[in-house]
Amino acid sequence: AQTVTQSQPEMSVQEAETVTLSCTYDTSESDYYLFWYKQPPSRQMILVIRQEAYKQQNATENRFSVNFQKAAKSFSLKISDSQLGDAAMYFCASIQGAQKLVFGQGTRLTINP
Amino acid sequence: GAGVSQSPSNKVTEKGKDVELRCDPISGHTALYWYRQSLGQGLEFLIYFQGNSAPDKSGLPSDRFSAERTGGSVSTLTIQRTQQEDSAVYLCASSFGRGNYGYTFGSGTRLTVV
């Protein structure tokens, strides 16, 4: 069974600084995909970034990038130049085979002006 | 439609009543998922549809919960004889195929059982 663990319930960062959110996962498959989702107070889950396990290159999307360490089963999210609009709950998630997306418990990110 | 639409946005019901939550996925998305999110918690999987079939309903917490999907499109999640512990946000998502490119989520239905 796949599991996803986020060990940081809450994080805070000063506006314009960089913050890293941690995530570890466990899977028995070699073919899987990893995601970070953002959930603002509007409740809608927004896909931030996606990583294919067979690709060694870390995914990047503008100010968002990941550090994918396959052997360590680690998938952290780095947010550069933090903005007030980045404040939200962030969820790490994985999917393997034909199974469903499994989520971590989330990290609440606060941006201090 | 352009996104995943869920209705109602909020629902308050009395304990013991039945409720129906609706999800209208993105047109053409073959897979549809229901998740439950309790206050301050992560997302708990409930059920998955591929077309009108539900190959995985392992997350439904009890036989009070049921779901159906018709025409490969709209889905309804029904909770019978609601209990206070059913209070949560119910999120629906849809995807192409296996969902390897991620799911698109709706804004959820906040259910409050009083």
Side-chain angles (χ1 to χ4, degrees):
Chain A
Q2 48 180 336
T3 60
V4 178
T5 303
Q6 293 178 252
S7 59
Q8 305 155 315
E10 296 183 355
M11 292 282 286
S12 64
V13 65
Q14 291 295 125
E15 192 176 4
E17 298 291 308
T18 294
V19 64
T20 298
L21 308 184
S22 301
C23 173
T24 58
Y25 63 92
D26 195 11
T27 177
S28 58
E29 300 281 336
S30 59
D31 178 22
Y32 58 92
Y33 301 80
L34 299 166
F35 306 85
W36 279 96
Y37 276 87
K38 169 185 177 181
Q39 187 181 40
S42 66
R43 298 197 307 242
Q44 187 163 19
M45 300 283 283
I46 301 166
L47 179 60
V48 174
I49 202 164
R50 169 184 176 268
Q51 175 79 42
E52 298 167 354
Y54 62 86
K55 286 189 176 179
Q56 293 187 349
Q57 185 174 5
N58 289 323
T60 63
E61 288 289 340
N62 301 314
R63 297 182 295 105
F64 298 86
S65 62
V66 299
N67 183 3
F68 175 43
Q69 300 290 326
K70 191 170 184 177
K73 296 185 178 178
S74 170
F75 183 61
S76 60
L77 175 70
K78 185 172 82 172
I79 306 174
S80 303
D81 184 25
S82 298
Q83 300 176 1
L84 294 178
D86 295 334
M89 284 289 289
Y90 285 82
F91 291 94
C92 180
S94 75
I95 189 169
Q96 63 179 21
Q99 298 183 31
K100 64 270 189 181
L101 203 54
V102 173
F103 290 86
Q105 290 299 100
T107 296
R108 182 175 301 280
L109 178 63
T110 302
I111 311 296
N112 300 314
Chain B
V4 177
S5 178
Q6 291 189 246
S7 60
S9 178
N10 293 282
K11 175 74 176 178
V12 180
T13 190
E14 292 181 353
K15 178 181 173 182
K17 295 288 181 78
D18 298 352
V19 295
E20 286 189 351
L21 312 180
R22 176 188 168 102
C23 173
D24 199 343
I26 290 176
S27 179
H29 277 191
T30 55
L32 185 147
Y33 313 83
W34 284 99
Y35 284 81
R36 179 169 72 174
Q37 185 177 26
S38 300
L39 187 63
Q41 300 298 308
L43 278 72
E44 173 191 13
F45 168 79
L46 297 179
I47 188 169
Y48 150 59
F49 288 92
Q50 185 64 249
N52 292 334
S53 301
D56 188 351
K57 52 180 77 171
S58 62
L60 294 178
S62 74
D63 59 7
R64 296 187 296 105
F65 288 72
S66 64
E68 65 174 9
R69 188 180 185 195
T70 56
S73 181
V74 172
S75 176
T76 302
L77 177 68
T78 301
I79 309 173
Q80 295 179 310
R81 304 180 303 282
T82 51
Q83 304 294 313
Q84 288 188 330
E85 60 263 30
D86 300 334
S87 296
V89 173
Y90 290 82
L91 290 164
C92 176
S94 67
S95 72
F96 283 117
R98 293 166 50 190
N100 292 341
Y101 289 88
Y103 301 172
T104 302
F105 282 83
S107 296
T109 294
R110 181 179 297 281
L111 176 66
T112 304
V113 182
V114 298

